[in-house]
Amino acid sequence: MDLTEQQIERYSRHILLQQVGYEGQLKIAQGKVLIIGAGGLGAPAALYLAAAGVGTIGIIDADVVDITNLQRQVIHHTPDIGVPKVTSAANKIAEINPDVRVIQYHSWFNPDNALQIISDYDFIIDGTDNFPTKFLINDACVMVGKAFSHGGILRFEGQTFTHIPGTACYRCIFPKVPPKNLVPTCSQAGVLGSIAGMLGTIQATEALKYILGIGDLLTNKLLVFNALNMQFRTVPVKKNDNCPVCGTNPSITELVMEEQAVCELKTK
Amino acid sequence: MKITVNGEAKQYEQAVVTVADLLVLEQVASPEMVSVQQNGDFVATEQFETTLIHDGDEIDFLFFMGGGSIPDFSNI
Amino acid sequence: MIHTIDITKEHCPMTFVKTKIKLAQIAQGDLLEVTLKAGEPLENVPRSAAEQGFIVLETKQLHDDVYQVTIQK
Protein backbone atom coordinates (compact mmCIF):
# COMPACT_ATOMS: atom_id res chain seq x y z
CA MET A 1 0.00 0.00 0.00
CA ASP A 2 1.27 3.45 -0.93
CA LEU A 3 -0.06 6.94 -0.38
CA THR A 4 -0.91 9.01 -3.43
CA GLU A 5 0.60 12.47 -3.93
CA GLN A 6 -2.70 13.95 -2.81
CA GLN A 7 -2.76 11.81 0.32
CA ILE A 8 0.82 12.82 1.12
CA GLU A 9 -0.32 16.44 1.05
CA ARG A 10 -3.51 15.72 3.01
CA TYR A 11 -1.64 13.92 5.77
CA SER A 12 1.54 16.04 5.64
CA ARG A 13 1.13 17.27 9.22
CA HIS A 14 1.06 13.67 10.40
CA ILE A 15 3.96 12.63 8.21
CA LEU A 16 6.06 15.44 9.64
CA LEU A 17 5.70 14.04 13.14
CA GLN A 18 8.63 11.85 14.08
CA GLN A 19 6.34 9.40 15.91
CA VAL A 20 3.97 9.09 12.94
CA GLY A 21 5.73 9.57 9.62
CA TYR A 22 4.85 7.83 6.36
CA GLU A 23 4.75 4.40 7.98
CA GLY A 24 2.48 5.65 10.75
CA GLN A 25 0.07 7.17 8.27
CA LEU A 26 -0.12 3.79 6.53
CA LYS A 27 -0.96 2.19 9.88
CA ILE A 28 -3.75 4.75 10.37
CA ALA A 29 -5.01 4.01 6.87
CA GLN A 30 -5.20 0.33 7.76
CA GLY A 31 -6.80 1.00 11.16
CA LYS A 32 -10.36 -0.02 11.99
CA VAL A 33 -12.21 1.84 14.72
CA LEU A 34 -15.76 1.19 15.91
CA ILE A 35 -17.67 4.10 17.39
CA ILE A 36 -20.60 3.02 19.54
CA GLY A 37 -23.06 5.88 19.65
CA ALA A 38 -22.99 8.76 17.15
CA GLY A 39 -23.80 11.30 19.85
CA GLY A 40 -21.92 13.83 21.95
CA LEU A 41 -18.72 11.76 22.25
CA GLY A 42 -18.98 9.80 19.02
CA ALA A 43 -19.47 12.91 16.89
CA PRO A 44 -16.15 14.66 17.59
CA ALA A 45 -14.33 11.33 17.70
CA ALA A 46 -15.69 10.39 14.27
CA LEU A 47 -14.81 13.78 12.78
CA TYR A 48 -11.18 13.65 13.92
CA LEU A 49 -10.67 9.99 13.10
CA ALA A 50 -12.07 10.59 9.62
CA ALA A 51 -9.86 13.62 9.10
CA ALA A 52 -6.88 11.59 10.34
CA GLY A 53 -7.49 9.03 7.61
CA VAL A 54 -8.53 6.00 9.65
CA GLY A 55 -9.24 3.43 6.94
CA THR A 56 -12.41 1.93 8.35
CA ILE A 57 -14.80 3.59 10.77
CA GLY A 58 -17.80 1.62 12.00
CA ILE A 59 -20.67 3.56 13.55
CA ILE A 60 -23.51 1.97 15.45
CA ASP A 61 -26.58 3.93 16.53
CA ALA A 62 -30.30 3.23 16.14
CA ASP A 63 -31.38 6.81 16.77
CA VAL A 64 -32.34 9.61 14.43
CA VAL A 65 -31.08 13.18 14.75
CA ASP A 66 -33.19 15.31 17.08
CA ILE A 67 -33.01 19.06 17.57
CA THR A 68 -31.85 18.55 21.18
CA ASN A 69 -28.74 16.76 19.86
CA LEU A 70 -27.40 19.71 17.89
CA GLN A 71 -26.05 21.60 20.93
CA ARG A 72 -23.14 19.12 21.18
CA GLN A 73 -23.33 16.39 18.52
CA VAL A 74 -21.33 18.41 16.01
CA ILE A 75 -21.34 15.82 13.22
CA HIS A 76 -25.11 16.38 12.80
CA HIS A 77 -26.40 19.61 11.32
CA THR A 78 -29.78 21.30 11.37
CA PRO A 79 -30.97 19.84 8.03
CA ASP A 80 -30.25 16.33 9.42
CA ILE A 81 -33.13 16.41 11.92
CA GLY A 82 -35.08 13.19 11.44
CA VAL A 83 -32.24 11.48 9.55
CA PRO A 84 -30.69 8.32 11.09
CA LYS A 85 -27.57 9.37 12.99
CA VAL A 86 -25.46 6.76 11.23
CA THR A 87 -26.48 8.16 7.82
CA SER A 88 -25.88 11.74 8.90
CA ALA A 89 -22.45 10.83 10.31
CA ALA A 90 -21.48 8.80 7.23
CA ASN A 91 -22.39 11.71 4.95
CA LYS A 92 -20.17 14.14 6.87
CA ILE A 93 -17.28 11.68 6.97
CA ALA A 94 -17.50 11.23 3.20
CA GLU A 95 -17.30 14.99 2.80
CA ILE A 96 -14.33 15.35 5.13
CA ASN A 97 -12.37 12.45 3.74
CA PRO A 98 -13.42 10.17 0.88
CA ASP A 99 -10.54 7.81 1.77
CA VAL A 100 -12.49 6.52 4.77
CA ARG A 101 -14.72 3.47 4.47
CA VAL A 102 -17.72 3.89 6.78
CA ILE A 103 -19.70 0.89 7.95
CA GLN A 104 -23.12 1.83 9.29
CA TYR A 105 -25.05 -0.25 11.80
CA HIS A 106 -28.50 1.24 12.20
CA SER A 107 -29.35 -0.65 15.40
CA TRP A 108 -28.59 -0.64 19.10
CA PHE A 109 -25.49 -2.36 20.41
CA ASN A 110 -26.92 -5.37 22.25
CA PRO A 111 -25.82 -8.74 23.63
CA ASP A 112 -26.85 -10.48 20.39
CA ASN A 113 -24.75 -8.39 18.01
CA ALA A 114 -21.95 -7.18 20.34
CA LEU A 115 -19.29 -9.85 19.89
CA GLN A 116 -19.75 -10.19 16.17
CA ILE A 117 -19.52 -6.47 15.53
CA ILE A 118 -16.51 -5.70 17.72
CA SER A 119 -14.53 -8.64 16.33
CA ASP A 120 -14.06 -6.71 13.05
CA TYR A 121 -12.30 -3.74 14.70
CA ASP A 122 -8.94 -2.87 16.28
CA PHE A 123 -10.23 -0.30 18.74
CA ILE A 124 -13.65 0.54 20.13
CA ILE A 125 -14.84 3.94 21.32
CA ASP A 126 -17.60 3.96 23.91
CA GLY A 127 -19.61 7.00 23.00
CA THR A 128 -22.80 5.84 24.65
CA ASP A 129 -24.82 7.75 27.18
CA ASN A 130 -26.19 4.97 29.36
CA PHE A 131 -24.77 2.55 31.88
CA PRO A 132 -26.18 -0.76 30.62
CA THR A 133 -24.49 -0.26 27.25
CA LYS A 134 -21.26 0.96 28.86
CA PHE A 135 -21.12 -2.25 30.89
CA LEU A 136 -21.99 -4.31 27.82
CA ILE A 137 -19.17 -2.70 25.79
CA ASN A 138 -16.76 -3.37 28.64
CA ASP A 139 -17.79 -7.00 29.07
CA ALA A 140 -17.72 -7.72 25.33
CA CYS A 141 -14.29 -6.11 24.88
CA VAL A 142 -12.85 -7.95 27.88
CA MET A 143 -14.25 -11.28 26.63
CA VAL A 144 -12.89 -10.86 23.09
CA GLY A 145 -9.67 -9.13 24.17
CA LYS A 146 -10.27 -5.81 22.42
CA ALA A 147 -8.95 -2.38 23.31
CA PHE A 148 -11.51 0.30 24.01
CA SER A 149 -11.87 3.83 25.33
CA HIS A 150 -14.48 4.55 27.98
CA GLY A 151 -15.95 8.00 28.11
CA GLY A 152 -18.48 9.69 30.36
CA ILE A 153 -19.65 13.27 30.64
CA LEU A 154 -22.05 15.01 32.98
CA ARG A 155 -22.71 18.69 33.50
CA PHE A 156 -19.19 20.24 33.39
CA GLU A 157 -17.23 17.07 34.04
CA GLY A 158 -15.76 14.27 32.04
CA GLN A 159 -13.96 11.00 32.66
CA THR A 160 -12.16 8.56 30.42
CA PHE A 161 -9.80 5.63 30.51
CA THR A 162 -8.47 3.15 28.02
CA HIS A 163 -8.60 -0.59 28.40
CA ILE A 164 -6.29 -3.00 26.66
CA PRO A 165 -6.21 -6.72 27.57
CA GLY A 166 -4.62 -7.24 30.98
CA THR A 167 -5.31 -3.75 32.32
CA ALA A 168 -8.10 -2.43 34.57
CA CYS A 169 -11.58 -2.62 33.04
CA TYR A 170 -14.73 -0.60 33.76
CA ARG A 171 -15.98 -3.21 36.21
CA CYS A 172 -12.67 -3.09 38.11
CA ILE A 173 -13.63 0.50 38.95
CA PHE A 174 -17.43 0.17 38.99
CA PRO A 175 -18.39 -3.48 39.60
CA LYS A 176 -22.07 -3.14 38.78
CA VAL A 177 -24.66 -0.96 37.10
CA PRO A 178 -25.83 1.73 39.52
CA PRO A 179 -29.28 1.24 41.05
CA LYS A 180 -32.16 2.42 38.96
CA ASN A 181 -33.51 5.01 41.40
CA LEU A 182 -30.12 6.69 41.95
CA VAL A 183 -29.14 7.50 38.40
CA PRO A 184 -29.61 11.22 37.80
CA THR A 185 -32.60 11.74 35.58
CA CYS A 186 -32.37 13.57 32.30
CA SER A 187 -34.08 16.61 33.76
CA GLN A 188 -31.47 16.85 36.54
CA ALA A 189 -28.49 16.23 34.32
CA GLY A 190 -27.60 18.47 31.40
CA VAL A 191 -24.15 18.94 29.92
CA LEU A 192 -22.10 21.80 28.53
CA GLY A 193 -21.83 20.98 24.83
CA SER A 194 -18.13 21.66 24.47
CA ILE A 195 -17.37 19.09 27.21
CA ALA A 196 -18.45 16.42 24.75
CA GLY A 197 -15.86 17.73 22.30
CA MET A 198 -13.12 17.76 24.95
CA LEU A 199 -13.76 14.17 25.87
CA GLY A 200 -14.53 12.76 22.42
CA THR A 201 -11.28 14.15 21.03
CA ILE A 202 -9.32 12.59 23.90
CA GLN A 203 -10.91 9.26 22.96
CA ALA A 204 -10.01 9.77 19.29
CA THR A 205 -6.43 10.55 20.34
CA GLU A 206 -6.24 7.33 22.34
CA ALA A 207 -7.50 5.38 19.31
CA LEU A 208 -4.81 6.95 17.09
CA LYS A 209 -2.08 6.31 19.68
CA TYR A 210 -3.20 2.69 19.93
CA ILE A 211 -3.17 2.22 16.14
CA LEU A 212 0.25 3.88 15.90
CA GLY A 213 1.67 2.11 18.96
CA ILE A 214 3.05 5.36 20.38
CA GLY A 215 3.06 7.10 23.74
CA ASP A 216 1.38 5.92 26.92
CA LEU A 217 -2.30 5.06 26.83
CA LEU A 218 -4.72 5.95 29.63
CA THR A 219 -4.53 2.40 30.93
CA ASN A 220 -4.73 1.70 34.65
CA LYS A 221 -5.66 5.32 35.19
CA LEU A 222 -8.86 7.29 35.08
CA LEU A 223 -8.62 10.81 33.70
CA VAL A 224 -11.21 13.09 35.28
CA PHE A 225 -11.68 16.73 34.57
CA ASN A 226 -13.89 19.53 35.72
CA ALA A 227 -14.23 22.28 33.16
CA LEU A 228 -15.53 24.82 35.67
CA ASN A 229 -12.07 25.17 37.18
CA MET A 230 -10.29 23.43 34.26
CA GLN A 231 -8.66 20.94 36.56
CA PHE A 232 -7.51 17.65 35.10
CA ARG A 233 -6.56 14.76 37.35
CA THR A 234 -5.31 11.30 36.56
CA VAL A 235 -6.26 8.78 39.23
CA PRO A 236 -4.28 5.54 39.19
CA VAL A 237 -6.58 2.51 39.21
CA LYS A 238 -5.64 -1.13 39.53
CA LYS A 239 -6.88 -4.22 37.83
CA ASN A 240 -9.11 -5.77 40.46
CA ASP A 241 -8.64 -9.49 41.20
CA ASN A 242 -12.25 -9.60 42.39
CA CYS A 243 -13.57 -7.97 39.21
CA PRO A 244 -16.73 -9.80 38.11
CA VAL A 245 -15.59 -9.93 34.48
CA CYS A 246 -11.77 -9.77 34.31
CA GLY A 247 -10.91 -11.02 37.83
CA THR A 248 -9.44 -14.38 38.71
CA ASN A 249 -12.84 -15.98 39.23
CA PRO A 250 -15.29 -14.08 37.01
CA SER A 251 -19.01 -14.35 37.71
CA ILE A 252 -19.94 -12.83 34.35
CA THR A 253 -19.19 -15.24 31.55
CA GLU A 254 -21.82 -14.31 29.01
CA LEU A 255 -23.18 -11.03 27.77
CA VAL A 256 -26.35 -9.58 29.22
CA MET A 257 -27.97 -6.17 29.07
CA GLU A 258 -28.30 -5.28 32.72
CA GLU A 259 -31.37 -3.62 34.04
CA GLN A 260 -31.30 0.00 33.00
CA ALA A 261 -32.64 3.10 34.56
CA VAL A 262 -35.77 4.32 32.86
CA CYS A 263 -35.69 7.95 31.97
CA GLU A 264 -38.75 9.98 32.73
CA LEU A 265 -38.16 12.29 29.81
CA LYS A 266 -38.56 10.61 26.46
CA THR A 267 -36.02 11.76 23.91
CA LYS A 268 -38.79 12.23 21.38
CA MET B 1 -7.01 14.39 61.00
CA LYS B 2 -5.37 14.99 57.62
CA ILE B 3 -6.63 13.10 54.59
CA THR B 4 -6.05 13.65 50.90
CA VAL B 5 -9.40 13.52 49.14
CA ASN B 6 -9.41 13.52 45.34
CA GLY B 7 -5.90 14.90 45.32
CA GLU B 8 -6.70 17.72 47.72
CA ALA B 9 -5.21 17.84 51.22
CA LYS B 10 -7.98 18.19 53.79
CA GLN B 11 -8.04 18.68 57.52
CA TYR B 12 -11.02 17.42 59.48
CA GLU B 13 -12.00 18.70 62.90
CA GLN B 14 -14.37 15.81 63.35
CA ALA B 15 -13.20 12.27 63.84
CA VAL B 16 -13.40 10.47 60.54
CA VAL B 17 -13.56 6.83 61.42
CA THR B 18 -14.87 4.98 58.40
CA VAL B 19 -15.27 5.46 54.66
CA ALA B 20 -18.99 5.88 55.30
CA ASP B 21 -18.28 8.79 57.70
CA LEU B 22 -16.14 10.50 55.07
CA LEU B 23 -18.90 10.10 52.47
CA VAL B 24 -21.25 11.92 54.84
CA LEU B 25 -18.72 14.70 55.56
CA GLU B 26 -18.01 15.13 51.86
CA GLN B 27 -21.75 15.24 51.20
CA VAL B 28 -21.78 12.32 48.78
CA ALA B 29 -25.51 11.74 48.54
CA SER B 30 -25.58 8.22 47.17
CA PRO B 31 -22.83 5.81 48.20
CA GLU B 32 -24.01 3.45 45.45
CA MET B 33 -23.03 6.05 42.85
CA VAL B 34 -19.41 6.28 43.96
CA SER B 35 -16.43 3.98 43.81
CA VAL B 36 -13.90 4.57 46.60
CA GLN B 37 -10.15 3.97 46.49
CA GLN B 38 -8.13 4.01 49.70
CA ASN B 39 -4.41 4.44 49.03
CA GLY B 40 -4.90 3.02 45.55
CA ASP B 41 -7.02 0.02 46.54
CA PHE B 42 -10.75 -0.29 45.93
CA VAL B 43 -13.06 -0.50 48.91
CA ALA B 44 -16.14 -2.64 48.23
CA THR B 45 -19.44 -0.80 48.75
CA GLU B 46 -20.46 -3.34 51.41
CA GLN B 47 -17.33 -2.43 53.37
CA PHE B 48 -17.81 1.34 53.51
CA GLU B 49 -19.23 1.07 57.06
CA THR B 50 -16.42 -1.11 58.34
CA THR B 51 -13.34 0.24 56.53
CA LEU B 52 -11.33 2.49 58.82
CA ILE B 53 -9.65 5.65 57.65
CA HIS B 54 -6.20 6.53 58.93
CA ASP B 55 -4.36 9.82 59.22
CA GLY B 56 -2.52 10.53 55.95
CA ASP B 57 -4.73 8.28 53.82
CA GLU B 58 -5.26 9.12 50.19
CA ILE B 59 -8.90 8.68 49.29
CA ASP B 60 -10.34 8.96 45.80
CA PHE B 61 -14.02 9.15 45.01
CA LEU B 62 -14.76 8.03 41.47
CA PHE B 63 -18.25 8.79 40.26
CA PHE B 64 -20.39 7.12 37.65
CA MET B 65 -20.57 9.29 34.60
CA GLY B 66 -22.89 8.28 31.86
CA GLY B 67 -23.90 11.17 29.75
CA GLY B 68 -26.42 13.89 29.29
CA SER B 69 -29.35 11.69 28.52
CA ILE B 70 -30.54 8.16 28.88
CA PRO B 71 -32.35 6.80 25.84
CA ASP B 72 -35.51 4.79 25.96
CA PHE B 73 -34.59 1.15 25.49
CA SER B 74 -38.11 -0.19 25.68
CA ASN B 75 -38.11 -0.80 21.95
CA ILE B 76 -35.40 -3.47 22.00
CA MET C 1 24.02 3.55 -1.84
CA ILE C 2 23.25 7.13 -2.88
CA HIS C 3 19.68 8.31 -3.63
CA THR C 4 18.53 11.67 -4.90
CA ILE C 5 15.47 13.88 -4.55
CA ASP C 6 14.69 17.28 -6.03
CA ILE C 7 12.45 19.44 -3.84
CA THR C 8 13.15 22.77 -5.53
CA LYS C 9 9.49 23.04 -6.59
CA GLU C 10 8.08 22.29 -3.12
CA HIS C 11 7.08 24.70 -0.39
CA CYS C 12 7.15 24.32 3.38
CA PRO C 13 6.22 21.92 4.87
CA MET C 14 6.09 19.68 1.80
CA THR C 15 9.85 20.17 1.38
CA PHE C 16 10.59 18.13 4.47
CA VAL C 17 7.56 15.83 4.00
CA LYS C 18 8.92 14.70 0.63
CA THR C 19 12.44 14.39 2.01
CA LYS C 20 11.19 12.39 4.97
CA ILE C 21 9.20 9.99 2.81
CA LYS C 22 12.26 9.40 0.61
CA LEU C 23 14.35 8.77 3.72
CA ALA C 24 11.74 6.26 4.91
CA GLN C 25 12.11 4.33 1.67
CA ILE C 26 15.90 3.98 1.67
CA ALA C 27 18.04 1.57 3.68
CA GLN C 28 19.70 2.42 6.97
CA GLY C 29 23.14 3.91 6.28
CA ASP C 30 22.27 4.98 2.73
CA LEU C 31 22.79 8.56 1.61
CA LEU C 32 20.18 10.94 0.22
CA GLU C 33 21.23 13.93 -1.86
CA VAL C 34 18.54 16.56 -1.57
CA THR C 35 18.44 19.32 -4.18
CA LEU C 36 16.75 22.37 -2.70
CA LYS C 37 16.43 26.13 -2.88
CA ALA C 38 18.20 28.63 -0.65
CA GLY C 39 16.16 30.35 2.04
CA GLU C 40 13.47 28.45 3.94
CA PRO C 41 14.20 24.97 2.48
CA LEU C 42 17.93 25.23 3.02
CA GLU C 43 17.40 26.51 6.56
CA ASN C 44 14.73 24.07 7.64
CA VAL C 45 15.20 20.75 5.84
CA PRO C 46 18.65 19.95 7.29
CA ARG C 47 17.53 21.14 10.71
CA SER C 48 14.36 19.02 10.66
CA ALA C 49 16.32 15.99 9.42
CA ALA C 50 18.80 16.35 12.27
CA GLU C 51 15.97 16.75 14.81
CA GLN C 52 14.42 13.49 13.67
CA GLY C 53 17.66 11.56 14.04
CA PHE C 54 19.21 11.70 10.56
CA ILE C 55 22.79 12.78 9.96
CA VAL C 56 23.39 15.84 7.82
CA LEU C 57 26.76 15.26 6.18
CA GLU C 58 27.36 18.22 3.88
CA THR C 59 25.79 21.19 2.17
CA LYS C 60 27.09 22.57 -1.12
CA GLN C 61 25.98 25.14 -3.62
CA LEU C 62 25.15 23.72 -7.06
CA HIS C 63 24.42 27.01 -8.84
CA ASP C 64 22.76 30.33 -8.03
CA ASP C 65 20.22 29.68 -5.26
CA VAL C 66 20.16 25.89 -5.69
CA TYR C 67 21.92 23.79 -3.10
CA GLN C 68 22.50 20.13 -2.37
CA VAL C 69 22.32 18.69 1.12
CA THR C 70 23.56 15.17 1.76
CA ILE C 71 21.71 13.30 4.52
CA GLN C 72 22.56 9.88 5.89
CA LYS C 73 19.83 7.60 7.21
Side-chain angles (χ1 to χ4, degrees):
Chain A
M1 183 184 176
D2 280 317
L3 298 178
T4 63
E5 281 298 303
Q6 217 180 30
Q7 288 171 325
I8 288 171
E9 295 208 25
R10 179 185 281 267
Y11 303 119
S12 59
R13 271 36 168 202
H14 277 167
I15 295 169
L16 283 166
L17 291 167
Q18 188 168 11
Q19 296 87 338
V20 182
Y22 189 82
E23 295 299 314
Q25 191 59 47
L26 290 181
K27 284 186 196 169
I28 295 174
Q30 284 153 4
K32 297 177 177 177
V33 178
L34 176 68
I35 299 172
I36 303 178
L41 303 176
L47 292 172
Y48 275 98
L49 293 176
V54 170
T56 305
I57 297 178
I59 304 180
I60 177 163
D61 202 311
D63 231 339
V64 297
V65 179
D66 182 270
I67 193 167
T68 61
N69 302 147
L70 303 180
Q71 163 256 18
R72 65 199 175 285
Q73 301 180 12
V74 290
I75 205 166
H76 311 302
H77 304 166
T78 307
D80 299 317
I81 292 171
V83 174
K85 285 186 175 178
V86 286
T87 310
S88 164
N91 291 342
K92 303 319 174 328
I93 290 174
E95 283 176 16
I96 294 168
N97 192 346
D99 294 345
V100 178
R101 187 168 71 114
V102 181
I103 299 174
Q104 303 176 39
Y105 306 90
H106 190 205
S107 64
W108 295 117
F109 188 73
N110 63 49
D112 299 324
N113 63 20
L115 296 178
Q116 201 197 335
I117 292 175
I118 65 171
S119 66
D120 292 336
Y121 294 89
D122 305 318
F123 193 90
I124 290 87
I125 289 183
D126 167 11
T128 63
D129 53 7
N130 67 91
F131 296 111
T133 312
K134 287 189 183 300
F135 279 87
L136 178 65
I137 292 167
N138 179 74
D139 297 351
C141 288
V142 168
M143 283 178 195
V144 184
K146 290 282 178 184
F148 77 95
S149 166
H150 157 84
I153 49 172
L154 194 67
R155 302 183 184 100
F156 297 92
E157 293 174 51
Q159 66 173 218
T160 177
F161 76 93
T162 300
H163 167 83
I164 61 172
T167 65
C169 81
Y170 192 47
R171 282 194 197 266
C172 289
I173 307 172
F174 303 108
K176 53 180 194 279
V177 174
K180 211 171 179 172
N181 54 334
L182 291 173
V183 176
T185 64
C186 304
S187 55
Q188 289 172 313
V191 65
L192 190 71
S194 57
I195 297 298
M198 290 173 70
L199 202 88
T201 51
I202 291 174
Q203 292 185 283
T205 306
E206 288 289 282
L208 291 171
K209 282 162 58 188
Y210 179 81
I211 292 169
L212 289 164
I214 60 170
D216 298 315
L217 296 166
L218 271 174
T219 49
N220 291 329
K221 41 192 181 256
L222 182 73
L223 173 71
V224 293
F225 68 81
N226 180 338
L228 281 182
N229 51 20
M230 248 351 148
Q231 277 186 343
F232 285 67
R233 206 163 75 87
T234 308
V235 184
V237 291
K238 278 187 206 155
K239 185 170 154 61
N240 187 344
D241 287 342
N242 300 318
C243 173
V245 69
C246 77
T248 44
N249 192 12
S251 56
I252 298 164
T253 52
E254 59 182 65
L255 294 179
V256 288
M257 191 63 121
E258 299 206 28
E259 188 177 320
Q260 58 269 337
V262 176
C263 180
E264 282 139 27
L265 295 178
K266 298 283 178 186
T267 47
K268 283 177 281 301
Chain B
M1 188 176 216
K2 282 181 191 163
I3 310 168
T4 304
V5 179
N6 289 346
E8 212 178 304
K10 294 208 169 185
Q11 177 107 36
Y12 294 91
E13 300 281 319
Q14 309 89 323
V16 182
V17 183
T18 66
V19 169
D21 294 338
L22 187 64
L23 287 170
V24 171
L25 276 174
E26 289 292 318
Q27 299 175 331
V28 177
S30 316
E32 292 88 344
M33 287 296 289
V34 65
S35 184
V36 178
Q37 280 200 124
Q38 182 179 31
N39 302 321
D41 289 316
F42 285 104
V43 180
T45 311
E46 309 82 63
Q47 289 163 11
F48 285 177
E49 300 277 350
T50 53
T51 302
L52 302 178
I53 289 189
H54 310 282
D55 200 45
D57 273 0
E58 289 186 18
I59 307 289
D60 286 297
F61 294 145
L62 308 176
F63 292 91
F64 271 109
M65 221 171 271
S69 67
I70 297 160
D72 178 12
F73 274 86
S74 56
N75 58 338
I76 59 167
Chain C
M1 203 173 154
I2 300 173
H3 308 264
T4 58
I5 185 171
D6 183 340
I7 55 165
T8 50
K9 290 189 174 62
E10 303 291 344
H11 300 281
C12 178
M14 295 309 293
T15 45
F16 185 60
V17 169
K18 293 286 172 73
T19 306
K20 199 179 161 180
I21 290 172
K22 192 75 187 177
L23 283 164
Q25 291 162 348
I26 70 175
Q28 196 70 34
D30 280 7
L31 302 184
L32 178 65
E33 291 177 348
V34 185
T35 306
L36 40 63
K37 287 276 187 81
E40 182 279 319
L42 184 60
E43 282 166 33
N44 290 331
V45 170
R47 198 175 65 186
S48 301
E51 270 172 14
Q52 300 206 0
F54 302 100
I55 303 159
V56 180
L57 295 176
E58 77 167 323
T59 302
K60 66 179 181 198
Q61 188 177 18
L62 295 183
H63 57 85
D64 304 318
D65 65 341
V66 179
Y67 286 73
Q68 186 187 73
V69 175
T70 306
I71 301 171
Q72 185 174 31
K73 184 173 179 180

